[in-house]
């Protein structure tokens, strides 16, 4: 028997958490204007971040948020 687990936002609202942290990172830490493409799902396309800014977000928040949402 195979058991599947649905974690696409029904059980864990991980995407909303990432978007919220992305907004805060962009506005508070980077002092930028916020979302550029509001309907975009991928963080790399939602903001006007450089590659360095994106990697800083990933290194600072992505793993921490991933672990905290699974516990």
């Amino acid at each position: 028997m195979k058991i599947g687990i649905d974690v696409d936002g029904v059980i864990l609202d991980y995407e909303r958490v990432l978007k919220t942290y992305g907004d805060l990172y962009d506005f508070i830490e980077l002092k930028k204007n916020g979302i550029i493409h509001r309907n975009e799902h991928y963080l790399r396309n939602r903001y006007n971040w450089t590659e360095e800014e994106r990697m800083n977000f990933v290194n600072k928040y992505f793993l921490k948020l991933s672990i905290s949402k699974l516990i």
Side-chain angles (χ1 to χ4, degrees), residues 3 8 15 27 32-35 37 39 49 53 58 70:
I3 299 174
D8 65 353
E15 290 176 20
F27 187 69
K32 290 193 172 186
N33 296 328
I35 299 170
H37 305 286
N39 294 325
W49 293 349
E53 290 167 340
V58 168
L70 294 174

Side-chain angles (χ1 to χ4, degrees), residues 4-21:
I5 299 174
D6 180 15
V7 293
D8 65 353
V10 176
I11 297 171
L12 302 172
D13 201 0
Y14 182 63
E15 290 176 20
R16 184 172 54 95
V17 170
L18 274 179
K19 288 176 183 178
T20 300
Y21 271 80

Side-chain angles (χ1 to χ4, degrees), residues 2-56:
K2 294 182 180 181
I3 299 174
I5 299 174
D6 180 15
V7 293
D8 65 353
V10 176
I11 297 171
L12 302 172
D13 201 0
Y14 182 63
E15 290 176 20
R16 184 172 54 95
V17 170
L18 274 179
K19 288 176 183 178
T20 300
Y21 271 80
D23 291 345
L24 293 171
Y25 173 73
D26 187 74
F27 187 69
I28 295 171
E29 292 187 40
L30 299 179
K31 309 271 192 267
K32 290 193 172 186
N33 296 328
I35 299 170
I36 301 298
H37 305 286
R38 185 162 302 281
N39 294 325
E40 182 62 53
H41 294 288
Y42 296 106
L43 288 176
R44 74 171 22 156
N45 299 329
R46 284 175 65 88
Y47 307 97
N48 189 25
W49 293 349
T50 64
E51 184 65 21
E52 181 182 0
E53 290 167 340
R54 187 178 69 80
M55 289 310 299
N56 286 339

